[in-house]
Amino acid sequence: MKDILTQLNPVFDHRNRLGIMSILAVNDWVDYGTLKELLNLTDGNLASHMKPLEAAEYVEYRKQFVGRRPQTTYAATAAGKTAFKAHLDALELMLKFGK
Amino acid sequence: MKDILTQLNPVFDHRNRLGIMSILAVNDWVDYGTLKELLNLTDGNLASHMKPLEAAEYVEYRKQFVGRRPQTTYAATAAGKTAFKAHLDALELMLKFGK
DNA sequence: TGCATAACTTTGCAGAACAAAGTATTTTGA
DNA sequence: TCAAAATACTTTGTTCTGCAAAGTTATGCA
């Protein structure tokens, strides 16, 4: 059990970050507003959750203009997808502990 | 997605509490020392995680003597098992979001 | 001219998690 | 017999998080 716990990735160890990664695991280039809406987060709150994910290079962003308004979109990197999968595997292992 | 998020139970929303419930979901009457050891927690830390679980009546305890030493053992209540399962179902739903 | 929108950053606070130390009782070992 | 250990906590104090709310910059629209 101890060794499973160490395999849980602290960066993903939060409901909102799990949510972000769940979305980005299957949808490339999701925009800021959509993420905010889906997860019911305030502007600042979403930014503060994206920061550690970006810092770990688990997500990347693209800034573009739609019409003439700026738009930021996010996608999970390959490393992000791998790390997320590893986290979920550890989670699953832990939840099945003892069975 | 929003409605899934609200189904996540805040009481379980922590790696150590997930660990505790994973153990108690399949093992009745696990003693304090074993939980502490398995989860790599300090005395005080385990106590502080058990408290909200007890308060929610998700776990119950039994105090007895083994030899002549006191021993506290814990088990998940029926309500605890149900709530935990609901939490895991919501988690799974969230992680599969978009697929 | 002024309000709106997008995407943040900054600020400040309240609550959580943690380690470490303290407590009570009993037991074991030198 | 006297000190140290074990069980199961509680208390204390600090650090870390997460959050809302407000501020910021750069357009866009009416």
Side-chain angles (χ1 to χ4, degrees), chain A residues 50-61:
Chain A
M50 293 311 289
K51 215 184 266 187
L53 292 172
E54 286 175 41
E57 294 184 46
Y58 289 159
V59 299
E60 52 184 329
Y61 61 86

Side-chain angles (χ1 to χ4, degrees), chain A residues 14-88:
Chain A
H14 188 275
R15 66 196 319 174
N16 288 328
R17 251 114 79 182
L18 280 182
I20 293 168
M21 290 306 293
S22 298
I23 293 167
L24 297 185
V26 287
N27 304 97
D28 273 358
W29 306 116
V30 180
D31 67 280
Y32 202 91
T34 302
L35 280 176
K36 214 183 69 176
E37 235 286 303
L38 283 172
L39 297 165
N40 222 29
L41 294 174
T42 58
D43 282 346
N45 223 209
L46 173 57
S48 70
H49 281 298
M50 293 311 289
K51 215 184 266 187
L53 292 172
E54 286 175 41
E57 294 184 46
Y58 289 159
V59 299
E60 52 184 329
Y61 61 86
R62 186 189 281 170
K63 282 164 189 293
Q64 58 189 355
F65 281 85
V66 172
R68 304 182 99 179
R69 297 180 161 288
Q71 191 190 47
T72 307
T73 51
Y74 294 95
T77 61
K81 287 177 185 177
T82 305
F84 189 54
K85 195 182 172 315
H87 181 78
L88 296 187

Side-chain angles (χ1 to χ4, degrees), chain B residues 32 43-44 63 70-72:
Chain B
Y32 202 92
D43 282 347
K63 282 163 190 293
Q71 192 190 47
T72 307

Side-chain angles (χ1 to χ4, degrees), chain B residues 35-49:
Chain B
L35 281 176
K36 215 183 68 177
E37 234 284 305
L38 283 172
L39 298 164
N40 223 28
L41 294 173
T42 58
D43 282 347
N45 223 209
L46 174 56
S48 69
H49 281 297

Side-chain angles (χ1 to χ4, degrees), chain A residues 1 97, chain B residues 18-27 30 35 38-39:
Chain A
M1 175 62 117
F97 183 82
Chain B
L18 280 182
I20 292 168
M21 290 306 292
S22 299
I23 293 169
L24 297 184
V26 287
N27 303 98
V30 180
L35 281 176
L38 283 172
L39 298 164

Side-chain angles (χ1 to χ4, degrees), chain B residues 77-97:
Chain B
T77 61
K81 286 177 185 176
T82 305
F84 189 54
K85 193 182 173 315
H87 180 78
L88 296 187
D89 288 346
L91 245 189
E92 206 179 327
L93 258 183
M94 187 178 82
L95 297 174
K96 280 184 183 164
F97 183 82

